[in-house]
Amino acid sequence: MNWQVYNELAWTDALLSAAEDYQYEVNLYVEWLKQHAKRSVDNVLHLGCGAGGHDQFLKQFFNVTGVDLSDGMLKEAEKTNPEVAYIKDDMRTVNLSRKFDAVVIPDSIMYQSEIEDVERTIQTAVDHLLPGGCLLIVTHTKEQFQNNQFSYTGSDNHTHITLFEDNFIVSESTYEAAFVYLIRQNNELSIHEEVHTLGIFPEKDWQQLFHQAGFEVSVKPLPDLYESYLQNEGDYPLSVIVGTLKANDESE
């Protein structure tokens, strides 16, 4: 998937993303992983790691391995977090032939627009988890989701970026995220646009997939994460689904 947003424009992520937002998130995730895991959490697999924003803070607590499909994002992640091992692969099919104490997907599961691909991703997590380990996924459920518009800005000495994002439901299980970038570099303006199709599924489907895969499940709200970027009067609630993998003798 050669999206320019995650390849040619991956460098913009550092200007558009506030480090304190990632720190707020990661602190919550660390707390929940430690609360729900039935083992010590030392080694974490981050699927869909993007440009490594979360890893700036995850690496303060864990040994992190990141997986992503986009060369541009991996290049940025490696620059930001040289001590993290990054691998180019697909979260639905990657096989690292090792086990972790936790698998996290905090920012990319929505790109699985078919429920079968969500199921494959959850199975990937199971294949990489030790008994008692946790899978943590951040998503928006169908019950929560609504059409929204966002605006982000960032700059340095020579560059100013404005990003507009429009999310619009287009089917029972998908929405489109339309991106428009206005990039001024040394007073020269370039405009870039792209549309991605993402998935939205009911909470009962998420819970069912987790249970079928052998997890004990807890669902937690994650409000206010992107509200400061909203341009409309709606809201953007997210859910954190934490699954604890049962040991073989606990499975039903």
Side-chain angles (χ1 to χ4, degrees), residues 49-52 55 59 66 71-88:
C49 60
D55 296 336
K59 69 186 182 184
D71 289 319
M73 291 305 233
L74 288 171
K75 180 180 177 181
E76 296 302 314
E78 289 168 347
K79 286 195 299 185
T80 303
N81 307 297
E83 61 274 77
V84 173
Y86 287 109
I87 299 159
K88 181 180 180 180

Side-chain angles (χ1 to χ4, degrees), residues 3-4 9 19 25-26 32-33 42 53 56 77 83 85 93 110 118 132 143 164 175 196 198 210 220 224 243 246:
W3 287 311
Q4 62 174 331
L9 298 177
E25 284 186 70
V26 168
W32 290 332
L33 288 175
D42 300 307
Q56 295 177 74
E83 61 274 77
T93 56
M110 298 83 155
V118 175
E143 295 87 347
F164 298 103
Y175 70 98
H196 300 178
L198 298 91
F210 268 69
K220 304 174 185 296
D224 305 326
K246 301 175 184 177

Side-chain angles (χ1 to χ4, degrees), residues 57-246:
F57 301 99
L58 283 170
K59 69 186 182 184
Q60 297 176 11
F61 300 92
F62 312 118
N63 299 314
V64 180
T65 300
V67 172
D68 203 276
L69 263 178
S70 299
D71 289 319
M73 291 305 233
L74 288 171
K75 180 180 177 181
E76 296 302 314
E78 289 168 347
K79 286 195 299 185
T80 303
N81 307 297
E83 61 274 77
V84 173
Y86 287 109
I87 299 159
K88 181 180 180 180
D89 216 319
D90 189 324
M91 68 171 69
R92 296 167 296 182
T93 56
V94 62
N95 183 357
L96 301 182
S97 299
R98 60 173 292 205
K99 303 280 188 176
F100 296 80
D101 304 306
V103 177
V104 298
I105 314 176
D107 196 34
S108 57
I109 194 65
M110 298 83 155
Y111 275 88
Q112 308 308 330
S113 58
E114 301 286 342
I115 195 67
E116 293 80 9
D117 287 328
V118 175
E119 184 174 14
R120 291 168 71 192
T121 301
I122 291 174
Q123 185 58 50
T124 295
V126 171
D127 293 342
H128 288 85
L129 272 176
L130 291 161
C134 281
L135 168 61
L136 183 150
I137 288 178
V138 180
T139 189
H140 35 235
T141 65
K142 186 173 181 179
E143 295 87 347
Q144 296 171 312
F145 193 81
Q146 63 183 48
N147 299 333
N148 274 321
Q149 295 79 43
F150 304 86
S151 176
Y152 310 84
T153 61
S155 62
D156 60 17
N157 292 334
H158 304 288
T159 303
H160 185 275
I161 305 169
T162 301
L163 166 61
F164 298 103
E165 178 184 348
D166 178 84
N167 290 350
F168 197 87
I169 298 169
V170 294
S171 78
E172 284 296 309
S173 61
T174 59
Y175 70 98
E176 288 181 342
F179 302 94
V180 179
Y181 286 76
L182 307 178
I183 301 177
R184 293 187 182 273
Q185 293 179 295
N186 298 315
N187 294 323
E188 293 286 333
L189 173 65
S190 61
I191 301 174
H192 310 264
E193 59 186 57
E194 194 163 69
V195 179
H196 300 178
T197 300
L198 298 91
I200 40 173
F201 307 105
E203 182 179 321
K204 67 177 179 61
D205 289 358
W206 285 102
Q207 296 233 24
Q208 182 178 4
L209 289 176
F210 268 69
H211 284 301
Q212 288 177 348
F215 289 102
E216 300 173 0
V217 183
S218 177
V219 180
K220 304 174 185 296
L222 186 63
D224 305 326
L225 198 59
Y226 293 95
E227 269 72 358
S228 61
Y229 303 107
L230 274 172
Q231 298 302 294
N232 53 302
E233 294 184 357
D235 56 11
Y236 191 72
L238 292 160
S239 290
V240 180
I241 307 173
V242 185
T244 307
L245 189 63
K246 301 175 184 177

